[in-house]
Amino acid sequence: MLRDSLSYFFLTKLIISHRSASLIRRISLLSFIAITLSVAIFFLVLFVMNGMNANIKTRILALDPHLTIVQKEKPLAALESNSDMSVVAFESYDLMLRTIDGQFRGTSAVGYDQAGISFWFKQLKDLKSTQQQNAQLSFYDPSIDVDLELQPNEIAVGIDLARSLGLLEGDVVTLIPAESLLLSTMEAPVFEKATIRRIVTTDLYDLDSKLLFFNKEHSIKSLRSSPSKISGYHLWLKDIGKMEQTRVQLEAQGFDHVETWQQKNSDLFFALFMEKTMIGVFLGLAGLIASSSILTVLALIMSQKKLDIAIIKTLGYSSKKTLSLFLMMGLWISLSGLFLGTLIGVAAGYYLQFYPLNILPSVYYDSSIPALVNPVFTFWVVLGVTALAVVGCYIPARASLKIEPAILLKSKH
């Protein structure tokens, strides 16, 4: 069927053939390569960004509470864990962490009871184990296999926080409420000494750079009157799809201040969305500019092959069929590059999805290069690009409508 196509026959004779004009042949070849590479890179880059965003979401869902209930004006009613969710009571403070060297850093201190600390570290251990099984970790921290028991005046801090202050496990630090910065020089701030029991790596910047865990049953008792104190419940759901339903049920039970993980991390996900959108726009524009050379090919054919077009019309080909003929010639080049580029991009995306490349150093939060293929997105992109290709090929091809065979053939003779 392909061999019987008149548009394919003209494509081979007027463009691909070595007897055709070398300029047209070279521009056509460059256009095909440019379209193929631009489409393949477009899909591959966006699939890799999808994979990285999915990894961030997975870590957030494992370590960040899915729902946070905050105590405001009135005390909260008791809330217990059940088969659908795990409930952990918490206290949080805005503190300044001071080292023995005099360095300061702001932290967000979160306190659980020992059961809550064990639950959180089990979440971290399960996350790391899953990442190791999926070949997404180049280094596995064996310390997370040991359950963390925080004794009085012992804390755990994030690895980025420890690095920024030069802290090691066993160091003694001073915890000072943030509001102490407003005290006069005549007033002595309230503070507590604490020993770093564990340095934790979560691969989430907000946690690694600000995390400070303590046992709320034993530590930071002298800071309980701090204005920055927030108390309530952290909830992890067994089925994240029931989050909105659970939130509505909790509000109906009298819990007025319920925040979801999406609301808490809305700035992060909006930034990731804008990053992916802008990169996609620029890659798409680059591909559009590269593929615009198809217009040059068709324009050159229209200008150099006017006599051939006139002969075709004289032999009985209507103007509409002639337009369709040269439109299909342009589509052969553009759609061949589109589908080959899509095949390469999707194939590379699926390969990285099932076999992530661990080529990045461990200093990065994602030491692997993952990918997540989105078939629906791929379909709509291919459909949209096909529509643009039809429009782009139609514009120069309609020049064939202006060719009058009688006048042109008479002027040639």
Side-chain angles (χ1 to χ4, degrees), residues 108-130:
S108 179
V110 178
Y112 296 143
D113 57 17
Q114 185 55 51
I117 294 172
S118 299
F119 170 81
W120 192 91
F121 270 85
K122 182 181 181 299
Q123 293 284 102
L124 177 61
K125 178 182 177 181
D126 293 343
L127 174 65
K128 295 288 186 179
S129 299
T130 302

Side-chain angles (χ1 to χ4, degrees), residues 176-193:
I176 307 170
E179 63 271 12
S180 298
L181 299 174
L182 304 177
L183 298 177
S184 67
T185 56
M186 303 298 295
E187 297 178 279
V190 179
F191 64 89
E192 274 205 13
K193 296 282 188 179

